[in-house]
Amino acid sequence: MNPPDHARGGTSLGFMRTLVIDHPLVAHKMSRLRREETSSATFRLLAEELVTLLAYEATEALEVEEVAITTPVAPTVGLEMKEPRPLVVPILRAGLGMLNGMVRLMPTAEVGFLGLVRDEETLSASIYADRLPDNLKDRQVFVLDPMLATGGTLIAAIDILLERGAKDVTAICLLAAPEGLARLEEAYANTHAQVTIVTAGLDERLNDKGYIVPGLGDAGDRLYGTV
Ligand code: URA
């Protein structure tokens, strides 16, 4: 069974679904983020705000359980996040710029780190840092990666998480390219993997350097200044 497709602009195929968030606040902040004159300081603020808005949609299937609570007025039953806690995984380095915006909404989540670097010639991704739990059985995982371009980095990250037993993986991306989404669909649509992509925008295409067009440039450089 496919998971239900609640969010605006969603499409689903197999077990992978993509939610393109269509909301005026998200659109406004994305436009400010894209502008070439936006400073790194403002870019960081906007990226955090956007992630918090996307995180609201991305956590719609977060597992909760009933707990007995007492309000100042009466005992009742509340719903609280289930154990094991969800895991948030920013992909280094640009995903770090999304972390605060995510943990603001889910402060009790655990955070793991994955460093993946893209070879600019071959556009393939390789791992240079792995700070993730070995066992992710029953864990809901949220990956933070601002740019879903060719999809190579995200597929490498999702494969590791699924291999370690993650129950489902939701990737939050500021922008996505059709080429990258097609690769992800090819990789996961007809498998049992539960993969969801939540993005603020689906752009036109990739250019010959693998950059999203019109995009916003190199997300790491925009966040932290060119190295
Ligand atoms: N990575 C980026 O930072 N920007 C792109 O447009 C594509 C990949």
mmCIF file with all atom_site columns, all heavy atoms in Angstrom, residues 118 147 149 210-212 215-220, ligand 1:
data_model
loop_
_atom_site.group_PDB
_atom_site.id
_atom_site.type_symbol
_atom_site.label_atom_id
_atom_site.label_alt_id
_atom_site.label_comp_id
_atom_site.label_asym_id
_atom_site.label_entity_id
_atom_site.label_seq_id
_atom_site.pdbx_PDB_ins_code
_atom_site.Cartn_x
_atom_site.Cartn_y
_atom_site.Cartn_z
_atom_site.occupancy
_atom_site.B_iso_or_equiv
_atom_site.pdbx_formal_charge
_atom_site.auth_seq_id
_atom_site.auth_comp_id
_atom_site.auth_asym_id
_atom_site.auth_atom_id
_atom_site.pdbx_PDB_model_num
ATOM   1  N N   . ARG A 1 118 ? 30.722 15.220 -3.266  1.00 0.00 ? 118 ARG A N   1
ATOM   2  C CA  . ARG A 1 118 ? 30.395 14.943 -4.667  1.00 0.00 ? 118 ARG A CA  1
ATOM   3  C C   . ARG A 1 118 ? 31.629 15.230 -5.519  1.00 0.00 ? 118 ARG A C   1
ATOM   4  O O   . ARG A 1 118 ? 32.205 16.310 -5.412  1.00 0.00 ? 118 ARG A O   1
ATOM   5  C CB  . ARG A 1 118 ? 29.230 15.851 -5.076  1.00 0.00 ? 118 ARG A CB  1
ATOM   6  C CG  . ARG A 1 118 ? 28.755 15.647 -6.490  1.00 0.00 ? 118 ARG A CG  1
ATOM   7  C CD  . ARG A 1 118 ? 27.470 16.396 -6.749  1.00 0.00 ? 118 ARG A CD  1
ATOM   8  N NE  . ARG A 1 118 ? 27.667 17.792 -7.083  1.00 0.00 ? 118 ARG A NE  1
ATOM   9  C CZ  . ARG A 1 118 ? 26.889 18.474 -7.915  1.00 0.00 ? 118 ARG A CZ  1
ATOM   10 N NH1 . ARG A 1 118 ? 25.857 17.878 -8.473  1.00 0.00 ? 118 ARG A NH1 1
ATOM   11 N NH2 . ARG A 1 118 ? 27.096 19.731 -8.162  1.00 0.00 ? 118 ARG A NH2 1
ATOM   12 N N   . MET A 1 147 ? 20.040 20.566 -1.522  1.00 0.00 ? 147 MET A N   1
ATOM   13 C CA  . MET A 1 147 ? 19.873 20.522 -2.967  1.00 0.00 ? 147 MET A CA  1
ATOM   14 C C   . MET A 1 147 ? 19.787 19.091 -3.468  1.00 0.00 ? 147 MET A C   1
ATOM   15 O O   . MET A 1 147 ? 20.771 18.349 -3.445  1.00 0.00 ? 147 MET A O   1
ATOM   16 C CB  . MET A 1 147 ? 21.060 21.214 -3.649  1.00 0.00 ? 147 MET A CB  1
ATOM   17 C CG  . MET A 1 147 ? 21.361 22.599 -3.111  1.00 0.00 ? 147 MET A CG  1
ATOM   18 S SD  . MET A 1 147 ? 20.008 23.762 -3.323  1.00 0.00 ? 147 MET A SD  1
ATOM   19 C CE  . MET A 1 147 ? 20.313 24.333 -4.976  1.00 0.00 ? 147 MET A CE  1
ATOM   20 N N   . ALA A 1 149 ? 20.034 17.431 -6.473  1.00 0.00 ? 149 ALA A N   1
ATOM   21 C CA  . ALA A 1 149 ? 20.443 17.748 -7.850  1.00 0.00 ? 149 ALA A CA  1
ATOM   22 C C   . ALA A 1 149 ? 20.443 16.468 -8.699  1.00 0.00 ? 149 ALA A C   1
ATOM   23 O O   . ALA A 1 149 ? 19.415 16.078 -9.244  1.00 0.00 ? 149 ALA A O   1
ATOM   24 C CB  . ALA A 1 149 ? 21.796 18.446 -7.816  1.00 0.00 ? 149 ALA A CB  1
ATOM   25 N N   . GLY A 1 210 ? 25.940 20.128 -13.216 1.00 0.00 ? 210 GLY A N   1
ATOM   26 C CA  . GLY A 1 210 ? 25.148 19.463 -12.180 1.00 0.00 ? 210 GLY A CA  1
ATOM   27 C C   . GLY A 1 210 ? 24.502 20.431 -11.210 1.00 0.00 ? 210 GLY A C   1
ATOM   28 O O   . GLY A 1 210 ? 24.022 20.028 -10.147 1.00 0.00 ? 210 GLY A O   1
ATOM   29 N N   . TYR A 1 211 ? 24.451 21.727 -11.578 1.00 0.00 ? 211 TYR A N   1
ATOM   30 C CA  . TYR A 1 211 ? 23.773 22.710 -10.720 1.00 0.00 ? 211 TYR A CA  1
ATOM   31 C C   . TYR A 1 211 ? 22.302 22.812 -11.112 1.00 0.00 ? 211 TYR A C   1
ATOM   32 O O   . TYR A 1 211 ? 21.949 22.698 -12.288 1.00 0.00 ? 211 TYR A O   1
ATOM   33 C CB  . TYR A 1 211 ? 24.430 24.091 -10.837 1.00 0.00 ? 211 TYR A CB  1
ATOM   34 C CG  . TYR A 1 211 ? 25.640 24.212 -9.950  1.00 0.00 ? 211 TYR A CG  1
ATOM   35 C CD1 . TYR A 1 211 ? 26.860 23.687 -10.345 1.00 0.00 ? 211 TYR A CD1 1
ATOM   36 C CD2 . TYR A 1 211 ? 25.554 24.817 -8.699  1.00 0.00 ? 211 TYR A CD2 1
ATOM   37 C CE1 . TYR A 1 211 ? 27.972 23.754 -9.516  1.00 0.00 ? 211 TYR A CE1 1
ATOM   38 C CE2 . TYR A 1 211 ? 26.649 24.889 -7.864  1.00 0.00 ? 211 TYR A CE2 1
ATOM   39 C CZ  . TYR A 1 211 ? 27.859 24.358 -8.278  1.00 0.00 ? 211 TYR A CZ  1
ATOM   40 O OH  . TYR A 1 211 ? 28.934 24.414 -7.449  1.00 0.00 ? 211 TYR A OH  1
ATOM   41 N N   . ILE A 1 212 ? 21.475 23.063 -10.090 1.00 0.00 ? 212 ILE A N   1
ATOM   42 C CA  . ILE A 1 212 ? 20.047 23.217 -10.356 1.00 0.00 ? 212 ILE A CA  1
ATOM   43 C C   . ILE A 1 212 ? 19.796 24.585 -10.991 1.00 0.00 ? 212 ILE A C   1
ATOM   44 O O   . ILE A 1 212 ? 20.346 25.601 -10.542 1.00 0.00 ? 212 ILE A O   1
ATOM   45 C CB  . ILE A 1 212 ? 19.242 23.058 -9.045  1.00 0.00 ? 212 ILE A CB  1
ATOM   46 C CG1 . ILE A 1 212 ? 19.436 21.639 -8.474  1.00 0.00 ? 212 ILE A CG1 1
ATOM   47 C CG2 . ILE A 1 212 ? 17.767 23.358 -9.267  1.00 0.00 ? 212 ILE A CG2 1
ATOM   48 C CD1 . ILE A 1 212 ? 18.746 21.377 -7.141  1.00 0.00 ? 212 ILE A CD1 1
ATOM   49 N N   . GLY A 1 215 ? 17.730 27.467 -9.545  1.00 0.00 ? 215 GLY A N   1
ATOM   50 C CA  . GLY A 1 215 ? 18.447 27.117 -8.328  1.00 0.00 ? 215 GLY A CA  1
ATOM   51 C C   . GLY A 1 215 ? 18.787 28.288 -7.438  1.00 0.00 ? 215 GLY A C   1
ATOM   52 O O   . GLY A 1 215 ? 18.069 29.301 -7.379  1.00 0.00 ? 215 GLY A O   1
ATOM   53 N N   . LEU A 1 216 ? 19.890 28.123 -6.720  1.00 0.00 ? 216 LEU A N   1
ATOM   54 C CA  . LEU A 1 216 ? 20.359 29.197 -5.839  1.00 0.00 ? 216 LEU A CA  1
ATOM   55 C C   . LEU A 1 216 ? 21.875 29.208 -5.741  1.00 0.00 ? 216 LEU A C   1
ATOM   56 O O   . LEU A 1 216 ? 22.460 29.865 -4.895  1.00 0.00 ? 216 LEU A O   1
ATOM   57 C CB  . LEU A 1 216 ? 19.713 29.075 -4.439  1.00 0.00 ? 216 LEU A CB  1
ATOM   58 C CG  . LEU A 1 216 ? 19.737 27.722 -3.722  1.00 0.00 ? 216 LEU A CG  1
ATOM   59 C CD1 . LEU A 1 216 ? 21.105 27.394 -3.172  1.00 0.00 ? 216 LEU A CD1 1
ATOM   60 C CD2 . LEU A 1 216 ? 18.708 27.697 -2.603  1.00 0.00 ? 216 LEU A CD2 1
ATOM   61 N N   . GLY A 1 217 ? 22.528 28.428 -6.618  1.00 0.00 ? 217 GLY A N   1
ATOM   62 C CA  . GLY A 1 217 ? 23.989 28.338 -6.597  1.00 0.00 ? 217 GLY A CA  1
ATOM   63 C C   . GLY A 1 217 ? 24.436 27.204 -5.695  1.00 0.00 ? 217 GLY A C   1
ATOM   64 O O   . GLY A 1 217 ? 23.693 26.246 -5.475  1.00 0.00 ? 217 GLY A O   1
ATOM   65 N N   . ASP A 1 218 ? 25.658 27.316 -5.183  1.00 0.00 ? 218 ASP A N   1
ATOM   66 C CA  . ASP A 1 218 ? 26.199 26.280 -4.300  1.00 0.00 ? 218 ASP A CA  1
ATOM   67 C C   . ASP A 1 218 ? 25.712 26.559 -2.879  1.00 0.00 ? 218 ASP A C   1
ATOM   68 O O   . ASP A 1 218 ? 26.074 27.578 -2.277  1.00 0.00 ? 218 ASP A O   1
ATOM   69 C CB  . ASP A 1 218 ? 27.736 26.306 -4.362  1.00 0.00 ? 218 ASP A CB  1
ATOM   70 C CG  . ASP A 1 218 ? 28.328 25.171 -3.539  1.00 0.00 ? 218 ASP A CG  1
ATOM   71 O OD1 . ASP A 1 218 ? 28.128 25.148 -2.298  1.00 0.00 ? 218 ASP A OD1 1
ATOM   72 O OD2 . ASP A 1 218 ? 28.981 24.301 -4.130  1.00 0.00 ? 218 ASP A OD2 1
ATOM   73 N N   . ALA A 1 219 ? 24.880 25.653 -2.362  1.00 0.00 ? 219 ALA A N   1
ATOM   74 C CA  . ALA A 1 219 ? 24.240 25.913 -1.067  1.00 0.00 ? 219 ALA A CA  1
ATOM   75 C C   . ALA A 1 219 ? 25.275 26.058 0.047   1.00 0.00 ? 219 ALA A C   1
ATOM   76 O O   . ALA A 1 219 ? 25.133 26.922 0.918   1.00 0.00 ? 219 ALA A O   1
ATOM   77 C CB  . ALA A 1 219 ? 23.261 24.784 -0.743  1.00 0.00 ? 219 ALA A CB  1
ATOM   78 N N   . GLY A 1 220 ? 26.334 25.241 0.024   1.00 0.00 ? 220 GLY A N   1
ATOM   79 C CA  . GLY A 1 220 ? 27.373 25.333 1.055   1.00 0.00 ? 220 GLY A CA  1
ATOM   80 C C   . GLY A 1 220 ? 28.064 26.689 1.010   1.00 0.00 ? 220 GLY A C   1
ATOM   81 O O   . GLY A 1 220 ? 28.288 27.330 2.046   1.00 0.00 ? 220 GLY A O   1
HETATM 82 N N1  . URA B 2 .   ? 24.603 21.442 -4.987  1.00 0.00 ? 1   URA B N1  1
HETATM 83 C C1  . URA B 2 .   ? 24.430 22.769 -4.778  1.00 0.00 ? 1   URA B C1  1
HETATM 84 O O1  . URA B 2 .   ? 24.859 23.309 -3.769  1.00 0.00 ? 1   URA B O1  1
HETATM 85 N N2  . URA B 2 .   ? 23.749 23.478 -5.714  1.00 0.00 ? 1   URA B N2  1
HETATM 86 C C2  . URA B 2 .   ? 23.254 22.922 -6.821  1.00 0.00 ? 1   URA B C2  1
HETATM 87 O O2  . URA B 2 .   ? 22.631 23.621 -7.634  1.00 0.00 ? 1   URA B O2  1
HETATM 88 C C3  . URA B 2 .   ? 23.450 21.530 -7.022  1.00 0.00 ? 1   URA B C3  1
HETATM 89 C C4  . URA B 2 .   ? 24.132 20.811 -6.084  1.00 0.00 ? 1   URA B C4  1
#
